[in-house]
Amino acid sequence: MRVVLAEDLFLLRDGLVRLLEAHGFEIAAAVASGPELTRALAEEKPDVAVVDVRLPPTQTDEGLQCALEARRRRPGLPVLVLSQHVEQLYARELLAGDGGTSRSGGAGSGGGGVGYLLKDRVFDAEQFVDAVRRVAAGGTVMDPQVIRQLLARRSVEDRPLERLTPRELEVLELVAQGRTNAAVAARLVVTERAIAKHTANIFAKLGLEVSDDDNRRVLAVLAYLDHGR
């Protein structure tokens, strides 16, 4: 099984190469930067890519973006991403299914094996090697900490009103009663300008963008009623 490995820290990269070779993998390329990774994935056409999220030259999400681009060019390319910390946005981007969009504006990563592990997991040789094999076989491997944080985030997304502060909920409740901003301000003994700010925050947190077709106050009230407030 041929592997392209991308890790900018020499000692870790060398250790991973030795570990994977000891378990029967063929290292097609071991690189240290985003441009090198892009070339290696295009030229070597590996069975699986093991990629650090942060690579030179940007040291941001260079590795992930290179892997996503490679999956756009070669749908289904198995990718196992390694990260020092849980990066929810990166995990979501990697997991984006067919037809999804990445933060960089391109197509989703599509099908094929994907994995997201914290770097601490590589010190458990059997666990790490098993993850590489499972991803290469088309499976999905997610670090337990990543799953916990994604589920926590999802629980908030599924209940959008939980994004609101107590004061914003109070304002929305009064809006749901049909009160104008002026009436809400009088009821809460604050300025109308303060209520306008609260309602703007409510619209933003509920994802209600400005539209010629929809009344955001109505949509906010519907969200309020849908959640049994």
Side-chain angles (χ1 to χ4, degrees):
M1 188 179 299
R2 302 176 71 251
V3 180
V4 164
L5 171 66
E7 167 58 55
D8 63 319
L9 297 177
F10 171 76
L11 290 178
L12 181 55
R13 184 172 69 252
D14 185 62
L16 291 176
V17 166
R18 293 172 183 270
L19 173 62
L20 290 170
E21 287 181 336
H23 284 79
F25 292 90
E26 175 188 346
I27 305 302
V31 302
S33 70
E36 290 176 305
L37 174 60
T38 297
R39 286 194 297 272
L41 291 175
E43 295 172 2
E44 299 296 339
K45 295 181 172 54
D47 297 306
V48 61
V50 179
V51 179
D52 185 5
V53 166
R54 299 179 184 274
L55 289 175
T58 66
Q59 287 292 359
T60 54
D61 61 351
E62 187 86 6
L64 175 66
Q65 295 304 326
C66 289
L68 290 175
E69 179 60 29
R71 281 171 66 86
R72 284 189 281 272
R73 297 185 179 189
R74 181 185 160 193
L77 169 67
V79 174
L80 175 60
V81 167
L82 303 178
S83 179
Q84 191 69 40
H85 308 287
V86 176
E87 306 269 9
Q88 291 189 40
L89 177 59
Y90 299 161
R92 286 173 175 276
E93 197 161 8
L94 180 67
L95 290 170
D98 293 316
T101 56
S102 75
R103 188 161 47 83
S104 57
S109 56
V114 293
Y116 190 108
L117 289 182
L118 294 181
K119 284 189 175 181
D120 288 348
R121 307 297 177 191
V122 306
F123 297 109
D124 184 330
E126 293 302 323
Q127 182 181 41
F128 173 67
V129 169
D130 180 63
V132 176
R133 287 193 174 123
R134 286 165 57 193
V135 169
T140 299
V141 176
M142 296 299 292
D143 193 285
Q145 290 190 42
V146 175
I147 293 174
R148 280 195 292 271
Q149 292 203 26
L150 287 176
L151 287 176
R153 176 72 174 271
R154 174 66 65 182
S155 67
V156 173
E157 290 180 344
D158 289 342
R159 299 191 298 273
L161 292 188
E162 291 191 13
R163 303 172 193 162
L164 306 184
T165 66
R167 174 60 89 177
E168 288 165 354
L169 282 171
E170 194 173 12
V171 169
L172 182 54
E173 181 178 7
L174 293 172
V175 170
Q177 295 173 6
R179 300 173 187 266
T180 64
N181 280 5
V184 174
R187 176 67 179 270
L188 298 179
V189 195
V190 295
T191 65
E192 190 171 343
R193 183 176 179 180
I195 297 304
K197 183 177 180 180
H198 283 311
T199 55
N201 288 340
I202 291 168
F203 295 153
K205 290 180 179 180
L206 295 181
L208 302 177
E209 299 179 357
V210 176
S211 169
D212 293 333
D213 301 321
D214 299 317
N215 184 314
R216 290 190 295 172
R217 289 178 76 90
V218 171
L219 293 176
V221 169
L222 288 175
Y224 178 88
L225 297 175
D226 284 344
H227 287 77
R229 291 281 179 177

